[in-house]
Amino acid sequence: MKKSIKVLGIIGLGLLTTIAIKGVTAEAEYDGNSRDRSPYAYIPNYELREQIAQLSGVRSDDFYQEYGLIEKDLLRETTGKLDDESGSYSLEGIQFLENITKYASEGTNAVDYRPLEKLTQLKEFKDYEAPTYSIDFMKNMDQLEEVYLELSIGMDEDDAALKPILDLTVLNNLSNLTNLAILEEARYSQTIVLKNGMTQYQLVDPVILSDHFADTEVEYESSDEGFSCENGILSWEGLSSETVELRYSWSAVRSTDDGEFRFDGEAIIPLYWK
């Protein structure tokens, strides 16, 4: 069963993919670890795969057209900018674009942003409507100069799994940043349990800024009745068991000679009475 070019396989957990090119056979088990040992990248989402193929210059190659695989080394050599408008539920495959310098995405449905961790040469990162659970994927992108990130609530506005991102200290190592804008849609915080008869709730300065904001103070607001904020302590008065949630918003802005650092957002605190 030898042919000059032969590819047999099904991409999936625990299944074997056999690739034989010019008499050389390579076998890889497509689980999380062995996939990294394969010389080829399989990008699950078709639209994202096509965009990456276009960027890397293999879009018209016969091998890519027939098998949908791209050499990882070729992806690692790719430079320039990836514009992702695929709406993909997975960012798998982007991690091999280690040398691109610009990344832009709009409308993704992926909540796992870990594949972006490898993009450490990025100078510009822009993501519109990002339903990510965390911003930890940016902590080693120390070449970044500009970040624009809209943290969205995803497809389900009542999805309580997407918690508010309030701590920006993971960005402290990004010493080249001159422009940062993070705008966060209202997400649900952890439910707070209150005893029947309690009429007050306090929250102490929940937003933690990165070093880029220097001594900037966070401003808090709420349209809830009985809300006040003093010295970073958010207070709600006049609560009753009919109060099902509390809302607050925040804004922190620092302007410099080189640019601006901004963090705006909103959070919802569900209440449970017992």
Side-chain angles (χ1 to χ4, degrees), residues 128-159:
Y128 304 86
E129 301 180 17
T132 178
Y133 285 104
S134 168
I135 60 172
D136 286 3
F137 66 91
M138 284 197 286
K139 64 183 178 182
N140 293 319
M141 296 180 180
D142 55 8
Q143 302 301 309
L144 276 173
E145 299 172 357
E146 181 178 357
V147 171
Y148 180 87
L149 177 61
E150 292 180 2
L151 294 169
S152 72
I153 56 176
M155 298 184 67
D156 184 1
E157 63 181 12
D158 296 320
D159 183 4

PDB file of all heavy atoms in Angstrom, residues 128-159:
ATOM      1  N   TYR A 128     -12.698  42.862  18.423  1.00  0.00           N
ATOM      2  CA  TYR A 128     -14.014  43.432  18.611  1.00  0.00           C
ATOM      3  C   TYR A 128     -14.982  42.313  18.992  1.00  0.00           C
ATOM      4  O   TYR A 128     -15.055  41.298  18.308  1.00  0.00           O
ATOM      5  CB  TYR A 128     -14.482  44.130  17.331  1.00  0.00           C
ATOM      6  CG  TYR A 128     -13.520  45.199  16.843  1.00  0.00           C
ATOM      7  CD1 TYR A 128     -12.440  44.861  16.025  1.00  0.00           C
ATOM      8  CD2 TYR A 128     -13.682  46.528  17.214  1.00  0.00           C
ATOM      9  CE1 TYR A 128     -11.547  45.828  15.578  1.00  0.00           C
ATOM     10  CE2 TYR A 128     -12.802  47.506  16.771  1.00  0.00           C
ATOM     11  CZ  TYR A 128     -11.735  47.139  15.968  1.00  0.00           C
ATOM     12  OH  TYR A 128     -10.842  48.105  15.523  1.00  0.00           O
ATOM     13  N   GLU A 129     -15.683  42.478  20.091  1.00  0.00           N
ATOM     14  CA  GLU A 129     -16.649  41.485  20.575  1.00  0.00           C
ATOM     15  C   GLU A 129     -15.962  40.177  20.930  1.00  0.00           C
ATOM     16  O   GLU A 129     -16.247  39.134  20.363  1.00  0.00           O
ATOM     17  CB  GLU A 129     -17.753  41.256  19.529  1.00  0.00           C
ATOM     18  CG  GLU A 129     -18.527  42.514  19.174  1.00  0.00           C
ATOM     19  CD  GLU A 129     -19.602  42.239  18.139  1.00  0.00           C
ATOM     20  OE1 GLU A 129     -19.965  41.070  17.942  1.00  0.00           O
ATOM     21  OE2 GLU A 129     -20.068  43.210  17.528  1.00  0.00           O
ATOM     22  N   ALA A 130     -15.080  40.228  21.899  1.00  0.00           N
ATOM     23  CA  ALA A 130     -14.332  39.046  22.327  1.00  0.00           C
ATOM     24  C   ALA A 130     -14.996  38.406  23.547  1.00  0.00           C
ATOM     25  O   ALA A 130     -15.014  39.005  24.625  1.00  0.00           O
ATOM     26  CB  ALA A 130     -12.894  39.432  22.668  1.00  0.00           C
ATOM     27  N   PRO A 131     -15.524  37.185  23.414  1.00  0.00           N
ATOM     28  CA  PRO A 131     -16.174  36.528  24.552  1.00  0.00           C
ATOM     29  C   PRO A 131     -15.198  35.694  25.377  1.00  0.00           C
ATOM     30  O   PRO A 131     -15.538  34.608  25.862  1.00  0.00           O
ATOM     31  CB  PRO A 131     -17.211  35.636  23.863  1.00  0.00           C
ATOM     32  CG  PRO A 131     -16.538  35.231  22.581  1.00  0.00           C
ATOM     33  CD  PRO A 131     -15.675  36.415  22.171  1.00  0.00           C
ATOM     34  N   THR A 132     -13.979  36.177  25.562  1.00  0.00           N
ATOM     35  CA  THR A 132     -12.952  35.399  26.246  1.00  0.00           C
ATOM     36  C   THR A 132     -13.180  35.377  27.759  1.00  0.00           C
ATOM     37  O   THR A 132     -13.680  36.331  28.347  1.00  0.00           O
ATOM     38  CB  THR A 132     -11.547  35.948  25.940  1.00  0.00           C
ATOM     39  OG1 THR A 132     -10.575  35.187  26.657  1.00  0.00           O
ATOM     40  CG2 THR A 132     -11.420  37.407  26.365  1.00  0.00           C
ATOM     41  N   TYR A 133     -12.776  34.259  28.385  1.00  0.00           N
ATOM     42  CA  TYR A 133     -12.880  34.117  29.834  1.00  0.00           C
ATOM     43  C   TYR A 133     -11.789  34.897  30.558  1.00  0.00           C
ATOM     44  O   TYR A 133     -11.927  35.222  31.729  1.00  0.00           O
ATOM     45  CB  TYR A 133     -12.752  32.644  30.235  1.00  0.00           C
ATOM     46  CG  TYR A 133     -13.972  31.810  29.962  1.00  0.00           C
ATOM     47  CD1 TYR A 133     -14.015  30.924  28.897  1.00  0.00           C
ATOM     48  CD2 TYR A 133     -15.087  31.904  30.788  1.00  0.00           C
ATOM     49  CE1 TYR A 133     -15.131  30.147  28.657  1.00  0.00           C
ATOM     50  CE2 TYR A 133     -16.208  31.131  30.544  1.00  0.00           C
ATOM     51  CZ  TYR A 133     -16.231  30.249  29.486  1.00  0.00           C
ATOM     52  OH  TYR A 133     -17.341  29.493  29.249  1.00  0.00           O
ATOM     53  N   SER A 134     -10.674  35.150  29.867  1.00  0.00           N
ATOM     54  CA  SER A 134      -9.498  35.694  30.536  1.00  0.00           C
ATOM     55  C   SER A 134      -8.664  36.507  29.553  1.00  0.00           C
ATOM     56  O   SER A 134      -8.743  36.312  28.335  1.00  0.00           O
ATOM     57  CB  SER A 134      -8.666  34.527  31.101  1.00  0.00           C
ATOM     58  OG  SER A 134      -7.396  34.955  31.514  1.00  0.00           O
ATOM     59  N   ILE A 135      -7.827  37.403  30.099  1.00  0.00           N
ATOM     60  CA  ILE A 135      -6.866  38.132  29.264  1.00  0.00           C
ATOM     61  C   ILE A 135      -5.438  37.647  29.539  1.00  0.00           C
ATOM     62  O   ILE A 135      -4.478  38.284  29.126  1.00  0.00           O
ATOM     63  CB  ILE A 135      -6.966  39.653  29.471  1.00  0.00           C
ATOM     64  CG1 ILE A 135      -6.691  40.036  30.927  1.00  0.00           C
ATOM     65  CG2 ILE A 135      -8.318  40.165  29.012  1.00  0.00           C
ATOM     66  CD1 ILE A 135      -6.583  41.544  31.146  1.00  0.00           C
ATOM     67  N   ASP A 136      -5.304  36.517  30.220  1.00  0.00           N
ATOM     68  CA  ASP A 136      -3.979  35.977  30.525  1.00  0.00           C
ATOM     69  C   ASP A 136      -3.168  35.658  29.270  1.00  0.00           C
ATOM     70  O   ASP A 136      -1.942  35.607  29.330  1.00  0.00           O
ATOM     71  CB  ASP A 136      -4.097  34.710  31.370  1.00  0.00           C
ATOM     72  CG  ASP A 136      -4.473  35.007  32.814  1.00  0.00           C
ATOM     73  OD1 ASP A 136      -4.697  36.194  33.126  1.00  0.00           O
ATOM     74  OD2 ASP A 136      -4.554  34.057  33.612  1.00  0.00           O
ATOM     75  N   PHE A 137      -3.849  35.451  28.155  1.00  0.00           N
ATOM     76  CA  PHE A 137      -3.152  35.102  26.917  1.00  0.00           C
ATOM     77  C   PHE A 137      -2.214  36.215  26.459  1.00  0.00           C
ATOM     78  O   PHE A 137      -1.301  35.984  25.665  1.00  0.00           O
ATOM     79  CB  PHE A 137      -4.153  34.779  25.797  1.00  0.00           C
ATOM     80  CG  PHE A 137      -4.986  35.949  25.355  1.00  0.00           C
ATOM     81  CD1 PHE A 137      -4.562  36.772  24.320  1.00  0.00           C
ATOM     82  CD2 PHE A 137      -6.199  36.228  25.971  1.00  0.00           C
ATOM     83  CE1 PHE A 137      -5.324  37.858  23.903  1.00  0.00           C
ATOM     84  CE2 PHE A 137      -6.972  37.303  25.571  1.00  0.00           C
ATOM     85  CZ  PHE A 137      -6.533  38.121  24.537  1.00  0.00           C
ATOM     86  N   MET A 138      -2.382  37.431  26.979  1.00  0.00           N
ATOM     87  CA  MET A 138      -1.557  38.565  26.555  1.00  0.00           C
ATOM     88  C   MET A 138      -0.321  38.778  27.419  1.00  0.00           C
ATOM     89  O   MET A 138       0.510  39.632  27.105  1.00  0.00           O
ATOM     90  CB  MET A 138      -2.387  39.851  26.547  1.00  0.00           C
ATOM     91  CG  MET A 138      -3.333  39.963  25.374  1.00  0.00           C
ATOM     92  SD  MET A 138      -3.930  41.660  25.135  1.00  0.00           S
ATOM     93  CE  MET A 138      -5.072  41.783  26.511  1.00  0.00           C
ATOM     94  N   LYS A 139      -0.172  38.026  28.490  1.00  0.00           N
ATOM     95  CA  LYS A 139       0.844  38.364  29.484  1.00  0.00           C
ATOM     96  C   LYS A 139       2.276  38.301  28.962  1.00  0.00           C
ATOM     97  O   LYS A 139       3.156  38.977  29.506  1.00  0.00           O
ATOM     98  CB  LYS A 139       0.704  37.456  30.707  1.00  0.00           C
ATOM     99  CG  LYS A 139       0.957  35.977  30.449  1.00  0.00           C
ATOM    100  CD  LYS A 139       0.707  35.172  31.716  1.00  0.00           C
ATOM    101  CE  LYS A 139       0.895  33.685  31.471  1.00  0.00           C
ATOM    102  NZ  LYS A 139       0.597  32.899  32.697  1.00  0.00           N
ATOM    103  N   ASN A 140       2.534  37.507  27.917  1.00  0.00           N
ATOM    104  CA  ASN A 140       3.892  37.410  27.374  1.00  0.00           C
ATOM    105  C   ASN A 140       4.062  38.147  26.045  1.00  0.00           C
ATOM    106  O   ASN A 140       5.096  38.022  25.390  1.00  0.00           O
ATOM    107  CB  ASN A 140       4.293  35.940  27.199  1.00  0.00           C
ATOM    108  CG  ASN A 140       4.427  35.226  28.530  1.00  0.00           C
ATOM    109  OD1 ASN A 140       4.957  35.789  29.486  1.00  0.00           O
ATOM    110  ND2 ASN A 140       3.942  33.991  28.595  1.00  0.00           N
ATOM    111  N   MET A 141       3.075  38.917  25.650  1.00  0.00           N
ATOM    112  CA  MET A 141       3.160  39.678  24.401  1.00  0.00           C
ATOM    113  C   MET A 141       3.861  41.010  24.669  1.00  0.00           C
ATOM    114  O   MET A 141       3.283  42.098  24.525  1.00  0.00           O
ATOM    115  CB  MET A 141       1.756  39.916  23.831  1.00  0.00           C
ATOM    116  CG  MET A 141       1.028  38.658  23.434  1.00  0.00           C
ATOM    117  SD  MET A 141      -0.620  39.030  22.764  1.00  0.00           S
ATOM    118  CE  MET A 141      -1.228  37.390  22.373  1.00  0.00           C
ATOM    119  N   ASP A 142       5.136  40.932  25.050  1.00  0.00           N
ATOM    120  CA  ASP A 142       5.840  42.117  25.526  1.00  0.00           C
ATOM    121  C   ASP A 142       6.271  43.074  24.419  1.00  0.00           C
ATOM    122  O   ASP A 142       6.877  44.114  24.707  1.00  0.00           O
ATOM    123  CB  ASP A 142       7.041  41.725  26.384  1.00  0.00           C
ATOM    124  CG  ASP A 142       7.990  40.781  25.671  1.00  0.00           C
ATOM    125  OD1 ASP A 142       7.802  40.547  24.454  1.00  0.00           O
ATOM    126  OD2 ASP A 142       8.918  40.277  26.322  1.00  0.00           O
ATOM    127  N   GLN A 143       5.946  42.746  23.164  1.00  0.00           N
ATOM    128  CA  GLN A 143       6.226  43.673  22.061  1.00  0.00           C
ATOM    129  C   GLN A 143       5.029  44.557  21.736  1.00  0.00           C
ATOM    130  O   GLN A 143       5.139  45.464  20.908  1.00  0.00           O
ATOM    131  CB  GLN A 143       6.626  42.885  20.803  1.00  0.00           C
ATOM    132  CG  GLN A 143       7.844  41.987  20.971  1.00  0.00           C
ATOM    133  CD  GLN A 143       9.067  42.768  21.373  1.00  0.00           C
ATOM    134  OE1 GLN A 143       9.421  43.767  20.742  1.00  0.00           O
ATOM    135  NE2 GLN A 143       9.729  42.333  22.436  1.00  0.00           N
ATOM    136  N   LEU A 144       3.912  44.301  22.389  1.00  0.00           N
ATOM    137  CA  LEU A 144       2.696  45.048  22.082  1.00  0.00           C
ATOM    138  C   LEU A 144       2.857  46.543  22.339  1.00  0.00           C
ATOM    139  O   LEU A 144       3.363  46.956  23.386  1.00  0.00           O
ATOM    140  CB  LEU A 144       1.529  44.518  22.913  1.00  0.00           C
ATOM    141  CG  LEU A 144       0.790  43.301  22.378  1.00  0.00           C
ATOM    142  CD1 LEU A 144      -0.233  42.802  23.392  1.00  0.00           C
ATOM    143  CD2 LEU A 144       0.113  43.594  21.048  1.00  0.00           C
ATOM    144  N   GLU A 145       2.393  47.318  21.369  1.00  0.00           N
ATOM    145  CA  GLU A 145       2.380  48.769  21.490  1.00  0.00           C
ATOM    146  C   GLU A 145       0.960  49.318  21.559  1.00  0.00           C
ATOM    147  O   GLU A 145       0.727  50.369  22.153  1.00  0.00           O
ATOM    148  CB  GLU A 145       3.116  49.400  20.297  1.00  0.00           C
ATOM    149  CG  GLU A 145       4.589  48.981  20.207  1.00  0.00           C
ATOM    150  CD  GLU A 145       5.243  49.451  18.926  1.00  0.00           C
ATOM    151  OE1 GLU A 145       4.536  50.062  18.083  1.00  0.00           O
ATOM    152  OE2 GLU A 145       6.452  49.218  18.755  1.00  0.00           O
ATOM    153  N   GLU A 146       0.031  48.584  20.952  1.00  0.00           N
ATOM    154  CA  GLU A 146      -1.355  49.056  20.911  1.00  0.00           C
ATOM    155  C   GLU A 146      -2.315  47.888  21.118  1.00  0.00           C
ATOM    156  O   GLU A 146      -2.185  46.850  20.470  1.00  0.00           O
ATOM    157  CB  GLU A 146      -1.650  49.736  19.575  1.00  0.00           C
ATOM    158  CG  GLU A 146      -3.066  50.277  19.457  1.00  0.00           C
ATOM    159  CD  GLU A 146      -3.314  50.992  18.142  1.00  0.00           C
ATOM    160  OE1 GLU A 146      -2.368  51.118  17.344  1.00  0.00           O
ATOM    161  OE2 GLU A 146      -4.468  51.434  17.929  1.00  0.00           O
ATOM    162  N   VAL A 147      -3.267  48.074  22.029  1.00  0.00           N
ATOM    163  CA  VAL A 147      -4.279  47.051  22.300  1.00  0.00           C
ATOM    164  C   VAL A 147      -5.653  47.709  22.313  1.00  0.00           C
ATOM    165  O   VAL A 147      -5.871  48.724  22.989  1.00  0.00           O
ATOM    166  CB  VAL A 147      -4.039  46.352  23.658  1.00  0.00           C
ATOM    167  CG1 VAL A 147      -5.230  45.466  24.016  1.00  0.00           C
ATOM    168  CG2 VAL A 147      -2.765  45.527  23.625  1.00  0.00           C
ATOM    169  N   TYR A 148      -6.564  47.137  21.551  1.00  0.00           N
ATOM    170  CA  TYR A 148      -7.975  47.518  21.607  1.00  0.00           C
ATOM    171  C   TYR A 148      -8.771  46.236  21.785  1.00  0.00           C
ATOM    172  O   TYR A 148      -8.719  45.344  20.940  1.00  0.00           O
ATOM    173  CB  TYR A 148      -8.423  48.246  20.343  1.00  0.00           C
ATOM    174  CG  TYR A 148      -9.881  48.655  20.392  1.00  0.00           C
ATOM    175  CD1 TYR A 148     -10.255  49.871  20.964  1.00  0.00           C
ATOM    176  CD2 TYR A 148     -10.878  47.819  19.910  1.00  0.00           C
ATOM    177  CE1 TYR A 148     -11.591  50.246  21.036  1.00  0.00           C
ATOM    178  CE2 TYR A 148     -12.211  48.178  19.985  1.00  0.00           C
ATOM    179  CZ  TYR A 148     -12.562  49.388  20.544  1.00  0.00           C
ATOM    180  OH  TYR A 148     -13.883  49.759  20.630  1.00  0.00           O
ATOM    181  N   LEU A 149      -9.491  46.131  22.885  1.00  0.00           N
ATOM    182  CA  LEU A 149     -10.178  44.885  23.213  1.00  0.00           C
ATOM    183  C   LEU A 149     -11.575  45.179  23.731  1.00  0.00           C
ATOM    184  O   LEU A 149     -11.748  45.880  24.733  1.00  0.00           O
ATOM    185  CB  LEU A 149      -9.376  44.116  24.269  1.00  0.00           C
ATOM    186  CG  LEU A 149      -9.969  42.809  24.798  1.00  0.00           C
ATOM    187  CD1 LEU A 149     -10.145  41.799  23.672  1.00  0.00           C
ATOM    188  CD2 LEU A 149      -9.088  42.235  25.901  1.00  0.00           C
ATOM    189  N   GLU A 150     -12.580  44.657  23.022  1.00  0.00           N
ATOM    190  CA  GLU A 150     -13.957  44.730  23.480  1.00  0.00           C
ATOM    191  C   GLU A 150     -14.338  43.379  24.069  1.00  0.00           C
ATOM    192  O   GLU A 150     -14.406  42.381  23.349  1.00  0.00           O
ATOM    193  CB  GLU A 150     -14.907  45.072  22.328  1.00  0.00           C
ATOM    194  CG  GLU A 150     -14.740  46.469  21.775  1.00  0.00           C
ATOM    195  CD  GLU A 150     -15.712  46.755  20.634  1.00  0.00           C
ATOM    196  OE1 GLU A 150     -16.540  45.870  20.315  1.00  0.00           O
ATOM    197  OE2 GLU A 150     -15.643  47.851  20.063  1.00  0.00           O
ATOM    198  N   LEU A 151     -14.542  43.337  25.367  1.00  0.00           N
ATOM    199  CA  LEU A 151     -14.926  42.105  26.044  1.00  0.00           C
ATOM    200  C   LEU A 151     -16.443  41.978  25.987  1.00  0.00           C
ATOM    201  O   LEU A 151     -17.159  42.754  26.621  1.00  0.00           O
ATOM    202  CB  LEU A 151     -14.435  42.116  27.485  1.00  0.00           C
ATOM    203  CG  LEU A 151     -12.907  42.099  27.645  1.00  0.00           C
ATOM    204  CD1 LEU A 151     -12.516  42.392  29.089  1.00  0.00           C
ATOM    205  CD2 LEU A 151     -12.340  40.757  27.201  1.00  0.00           C
ATOM    206  N   SER A 152     -16.923  41.000  25.228  1.00  0.00           N
ATOM    207  CA  SER A 152     -18.358  40.857  25.006  1.00  0.00           C
ATOM    208  C   SER A 152     -18.938  39.780  25.918  1.00  0.00           C
ATOM    209  O   SER A 152     -18.226  39.090  26.645  1.00  0.00           O
ATOM    210  CB  SER A 152     -18.636  40.505  23.541  1.00  0.00           C
ATOM    211  OG  SER A 152     -18.246  39.164  23.269  1.00  0.00           O
ATOM    212  N   ILE A 153     -20.256  39.629  25.846  1.00  0.00           N
ATOM    213  CA  ILE A 153     -20.945  38.616  26.637  1.00  0.00           C
ATOM    214  C   ILE A 153     -21.236  37.381  25.804  1.00  0.00           C
ATOM    215  O   ILE A 153     -21.909  36.461  26.267  1.00  0.00           O
ATOM    216  CB  ILE A 153     -22.253  39.172  27.220  1.00  0.00           C
ATOM    217  CG1 ILE A 153     -23.144  39.721  26.095  1.00  0.00           C
ATOM    218  CG2 ILE A 153     -21.958  40.246  28.243  1.00  0.00           C
ATOM    219  CD1 ILE A 153     -24.497  40.209  26.571  1.00  0.00           C
ATOM    220  N   GLY A 154     -20.735  37.335  24.582  1.00  0.00           N
ATOM    221  CA  GLY A 154     -20.969  36.174  23.732  1.00  0.00           C
ATOM    222  C   GLY A 154     -22.367  36.168  23.148  1.00  0.00           C
ATOM    223  O   GLY A 154     -23.067  37.185  23.114  1.00  0.00           O
ATOM    224  N   MET A 155     -22.801  34.991  22.736  1.00  0.00           N
ATOM    225  CA  MET A 155     -24.089  34.867  22.069  1.00  0.00           C
ATOM    226  C   MET A 155     -25.255  34.890  23.044  1.00  0.00           C
ATOM    227  O   MET A 155     -26.379  35.217  22.671  1.00  0.00           O
ATOM    228  CB  MET A 155     -24.120  33.577  21.247  1.00  0.00           C
ATOM    229  CG  MET A 155     -23.084  33.522  20.136  1.00  0.00           C
ATOM    230  SD  MET A 155     -23.226  32.030  19.133  1.00  0.00           S
ATOM    231  CE  MET A 155     -24.803  32.310  18.338  1.00  0.00           C
ATOM    232  N   ASP A 156     -25.012  34.517  24.303  1.00  0.00           N
ATOM    233  CA  ASP A 156     -26.081  34.446  25.301  1.00  0.00           C
ATOM    234  C   ASP A 156     -25.863  35.531  26.341  1.00  0.00           C
ATOM    235  O   ASP A 156     -24.958  35.452  27.164  1.00  0.00           O
ATOM    236  CB  ASP A 156     -26.083  33.062  25.966  1.00  0.00           C
ATOM    237  CG  ASP A 156     -27.228  32.892  26.956  1.00  0.00           C
ATOM    238  OD1 ASP A 156     -28.027  33.843  27.111  1.00  0.00           O
ATOM    239  OD2 ASP A 156     -27.327  31.816  27.567  1.00  0.00           O
ATOM    240  N   GLU A 157     -26.709  36.547  26.330  1.00  0.00           N
ATOM    241  CA  GLU A 157     -26.519  37.668  27.245  1.00  0.00           C
ATOM    242  C   GLU A 157     -26.768  37.286  28.704  1.00  0.00           C
ATOM    243  O   GLU A 157     -26.383  38.012  29.623  1.00  0.00           O
ATOM    244  CB  GLU A 157     -27.434  38.826  26.863  1.00  0.00           C
ATOM    245  CG  GLU A 157     -28.911  38.527  26.968  1.00  0.00           C
ATOM    246  CD  GLU A 157     -29.775  39.710  26.563  1.00  0.00           C
ATOM    247  OE1 GLU A 157     -29.237  40.666  25.987  1.00  0.00           O
ATOM    248  OE2 GLU A 157     -30.987  39.669  26.840  1.00  0.00           O
ATOM    249  N   ASP A 158     -27.403  36.132  28.924  1.00  0.00           N
ATOM    250  CA  ASP A 158     -27.653  35.663  30.286  1.00  0.00           C
ATOM    251  C   ASP A 158     -26.655  34.603  30.724  1.00  0.00           C
ATOM    252  O   ASP A 158     -26.838  33.970  31.765  1.00  0.00           O
ATOM    253  CB  ASP A 158     -29.082  35.101  30.399  1.00  0.00           C
ATOM    254  CG  ASP A 158     -30.142  36.173  30.157  1.00  0.00           C
ATOM    255  OD1 ASP A 158     -29.940  37.309  30.630  1.00  0.00           O
ATOM    256  OD2 ASP A 158     -31.146  35.870  29.495  1.00  0.00           O
ATOM    257  N   ASP A 159     -25.595  34.406  29.951  1.00  0.00           N
ATOM    258  CA  ASP A 159     -24.596  33.401  30.289  1.00  0.00           C
ATOM    259  C   ASP A 159     -23.772  33.876  31.483  1.00  0.00           C
ATOM    260  O   ASP A 159     -22.980  34.815  31.384  1.00  0.00           O
ATOM    261  CB  ASP A 159     -23.691  33.160  29.080  1.00  0.00           C
ATOM    262  CG  ASP A 159     -22.662  32.056  29.334  1.00  0.00           C
ATOM    263  OD1 ASP A 159     -22.717  31.436  30.413  1.00  0.00           O
ATOM    264  OD2 ASP A 159     -21.819  31.828  28.458  1.00  0.00           O
TER     265      ASP A 159
END
